Amino acid sequence: MAHFKLPRWFHQLGSPKWFYQFAGLLQPWLALISLVLLFWGIMWGLLYAPADYQQGNSFRIIYVHVPTAILSQSIFMMLAVAGAIGLIWKIKMAFIVARACVPIGASMTVIALLTGAIWGKPTWGTFWQWDARLTSTLVLLFLYLGILALYQAISDRQIAARATAILSLVGLVNLPVIKYSVDWWHTIHQPATFTLTQKPNMPAEMYLPLIVMVSGIYALFVLLLLLRTRNEILAQEGRSGWLTKLLQEGHA
Amino acid sequence: MYFQSFMQAFHMNGHGVYVWGCYGLFLLMIAWNFWRIRKQRQLQLRRLLQVRSRQENG
Amino acid sequence: MLKYYLCLVWRDLLLVMRQPAAVFNPLVFFVLVVSLFPLGVTPQASQLSQLAAGVIWVAALLSTLLSLDLIFRSDYDDGSLEQLLLGSQPSWLLALAKVTAHWLVSGLPLVILAPIVSSMLFMPYHALPGMLLALLLGTPTLSLFGAVGAALMTGVKDGGILLSLLVLPWYIPVLIFGASAVQAASSGMPMNAQLALLGALLIFALMVTPAATVAALRVGQMQG
């Protein structure tokens, strides 16, 4: 597959120097966008959206639970795909991006789990319920923690990047299988409660804030990713000439 | 606003603890991410400056 | 190619026969874990027979995990793994042969021990054929996915706990369908769906894991 030709911008992104500077230009805009969207979404969800007729005000937790849950999955997908790109086309930047994804994704998963559990208290009466979605989010957290542990176990950055790329790819192909089997297991052992987020025909004033929050948190993710990637470039490219020059000019 | 008063918004018919707690955790997670990134960046920059001064002096 | 495969499997079996203790220990562990449950939960037959399916599968998962280090460790340490990877034969065949040998010495004995262990847990006898079938279909999948983790661990020192952290989440589907199959068998319900799903998991693992194992082994070689 290595002879497959990639577009030019892809290789430009693959150059740490170019990426470092481009990300620096993008940062303030992303910060602005995510700040506005998240502020707007939080205010709308917390104070203006109507309460649910069944769950009351605890329904407002949806506006942090669902976006973090969505992100926890798509970040995992992204880090596995970035790892695959690194393995196939031998692009160092792809490994760096994958590395930067892991702690962000893990923190999103933790928040998705915690908010799910807290939401469970007023809805189910207990903090934890072996609900299919919570269970598969827990498994996702284990996958993230495994990747983090593998990074820490291998001291050589190059080798650690390749090993974790393989690990996350196997995790990615397994993810739907695990999700499906947990769903199947859940339908057998169904507890007599209603699920957190399954809601037919949510009215517009309820799902519009959700859309704002989801887009805001995506913008935040890209911002965090760029910041972490730049840090990683600083750590790995320390001795290259362009960085020394930037440092001397005080623009790093 | 959906609520009549701020006290009502705070209390949310008894669900306030859960809702505000979740939003608080969410903001804490964001703050943690930025804090980690800032700390790492300072560490790397300091390391780079040390390397440079060593090169200049020796 | 088949000859190469059989040669490799036979070589591994011979190596194991010279050092049988390494194979015995996970099996002893399997029986030991199972016998902890009556001590820890209850010796009552009615409750134990309800737990049996899950306990046997969890114990099988854990003992497989313990034996995973056998797959590549000694070959990695004495350098023969490097030679095998450099050979002209396709290396996924090497991965497959290694897994086959591992299953023959760790998975198959579990299946043979299972009837004894299940009677210790008062599982009804009519569930035996179903349980054996489920274990026969499920344990190779455990070996296949475990091999990926073991290959990743070749370059890591003291990777024991880390290995279980990486591999156990992948075992969840096998645990769910396997335990559910045994449960269905002991309550006299049809278990075709569970067995079919276990078979599907096995085929899926056969497609996915050899390539990943080889890739992981090559990464491990970079370190040497």
Side-chain angles (χ1 to χ4, degrees), chain C residues 41-201:
Chain C
V41 186
T42 166
Q44 268 182 344
S46 59
Q47 289 189 37
L48 274 181
S49 65
Q50 279 204 325
L51 289 176
V55 169
I56 288 173
W57 270 101
V58 169
L61 250 62
L62 293 177
S63 83
T64 308
L65 211 58
L66 276 189
S67 60
L68 285 181
D69 209 38
L70 294 175
I71 308 184
F72 299 115
R73 177 58 63 194
S74 66
D75 281 356
Y76 176 81
D77 285 344
D78 65 16
S80 50
L81 189 65
E82 197 177 353
Q83 298 302 318
L84 286 168
L85 279 172
L86 288 173
S88 57
Q89 299 285 343
S91 36
W92 56 266
L93 210 58
L94 162 74
L96 220 52
K98 285 269 166 202
V99 172
T100 313
H102 174 260
W103 180 75
L104 284 175
V105 299
S106 77
L108 196 57
L110 286 188
V111 182
I112 297 166
L113 275 177
I116 304 169
V117 163
S118 69
S119 63
M120 280 162 69
L121 294 175
F122 308 104
M123 210 169 85
Y125 288 109
H126 61 82
L128 264 186
M131 181 188 68
L132 292 182
L133 220 55
L135 280 170
L136 271 176
L137 279 171
T139 45
T141 314
L142 300 184
S143 292
L144 282 164
F145 274 112
V148 181
L152 281 172
M153 284 301 108
T154 48
V156 180
K157 284 186 201 85
D158 309 322
I161 296 176
L162 181 57
L163 177 61
S164 44
L165 211 67
L166 303 189
V167 171
L168 274 180
W170 300 342
Y171 283 178
I172 290 172
V174 178
L175 174 69
I176 290 175
F177 295 130
S180 159
V182 179
Q183 205 108 57
S186 48
S187 56
M189 304 235 282
M191 50 185 294
N192 298 345
Q194 288 91 325
L195 289 182
L197 285 164
L198 281 174
L201 282 178

Side-chain angles (χ1 to χ4, degrees), chain A residues 24-242:
Chain A
L25 285 179
L26 230 54
Q27 271 168 28
W29 296 103
L30 276 168
L32 189 70
I33 292 169
S34 54
L35 187 71
V36 168
L37 283 177
L38 285 178
F39 185 75
W40 182 22
I42 286 175
M43 281 302 158
W44 197 354
L46 206 50
L47 300 177
Y48 292 90
D52 185 66
Y53 73 100
Q54 262 184 326
Q55 304 189 10
N57 282 312
S58 65
F59 171 78
R60 297 177 195 284
I61 296 174
I62 199 177
Y63 302 116
V64 290
H65 175 71
V66 166
T68 45
I70 291 175
L71 262 282
S72 65
Q73 289 174 20
S74 45
I75 294 175
F76 196 91
M77 186 132 71
M78 173 161 181
L79 80 93
V81 169
I85 291 173
L87 284 175
I88 296 170
W89 287 289
K90 313 229 174 338
I91 297 173
K92 193 163 58 167
M93 269 314 295
F95 287 131
I96 296 181
V97 168
R99 174 92 182 83
C101 279
V102 182
I104 310 172
S107 62
M108 295 279 178
T109 317
V110 168
I111 294 301
L113 261 183
L114 285 178
T115 53
I118 294 174
W119 193 359
K121 186 67 184 165
T123 313
W124 296 321
T126 57
F127 280 113
W128 187 261
Q129 187 76 253
W130 288 97
D131 165 77
R133 257 182 251 207
L134 276 185
T135 311
S136 42
T137 310
L138 183 65
V139 176
L140 187 64
L141 180 64
F142 288 143
L143 292 178
Y144 271 117
L145 293 181
I147 292 173
L148 271 177
L150 189 60
Y151 268 120
Q152 258 137 36
I154 305 176
S155 50
D156 184 308
R157 273 174 191 273
Q158 305 277 333
I159 297 173
R162 281 181 175 74
T164 42
I166 295 167
L167 180 68
S168 46
L169 267 177
V170 178
L172 183 69
V173 295
N174 257 321
L175 209 54
V177 179
I178 295 173
K179 239 180 129 54
Y180 172 77
S181 55
V182 169
D183 277 344
W184 193 82
W185 158 82
H186 183 67
T187 49
I188 294 177
H189 303 275
Q190 178 88 54
T193 48
F194 52 102
T195 51
L196 285 180
T197 50
Q198 259 162 7
K199 214 114 230 329
N201 300 327
M202 211 192 281
E205 61 262 38
M206 277 181 164
Y207 73 71
L208 282 178
L210 192 58
I211 291 174
V212 174
M213 279 301 278
V214 170
S215 19
I217 207 166
Y218 263 109
L220 176 77
F221 162 63
V222 178
L223 174 66
L224 290 174
L225 183 65
L226 292 184
L227 288 169
R228 272 196 187 271
T229 309
R230 288 186 93 201
N231 278 352
E232 200 67 21
I233 293 174
L234 282 183
Q236 298 197 12
E237 303 280 306
R239 280 153 207 282
S240 49
W242 64 269

Side-chain angles (χ1 to χ4, degrees), chain A residues 20 46-48 50-51 55 57-58 60-61 63 107-108 111 115 118 121 217 231 234-235 238 247 252, chain B residues 1-3 12-13 15 18-20 22-23 25-26 29-30 33-34 37 40-41 44 47-48 52:
Chain A
Y20 189 90
L46 206 50
L47 300 177
Y48 292 90
Q55 304 189 10
N57 282 312
S58 65
R60 297 177 195 284
I61 296 174
Y63 302 116
S107 62
M108 295 279 178
I111 294 301
T115 53
I118 294 174
K121 186 67 184 165
I217 207 166
N231 278 352
L234 282 183
L247 266 174
Chain B
M1 199 158 81
Y2 175 78
F3 299 97
M12 287 191 177
N13 299 327
H15 289 162
Y18 307 115
V19 177
W20 288 97
C22 281
Y23 281 75
L25 279 175
F26 177 68
M29 181 269 288
I30 296 176
N33 267 298
F34 279 109
I37 287 168
Q40 266 184 345
R41 186 175 159 79
Q44 293 305 333
R47 196 181 56 92
L48 286 178
R52 226 186 80 201

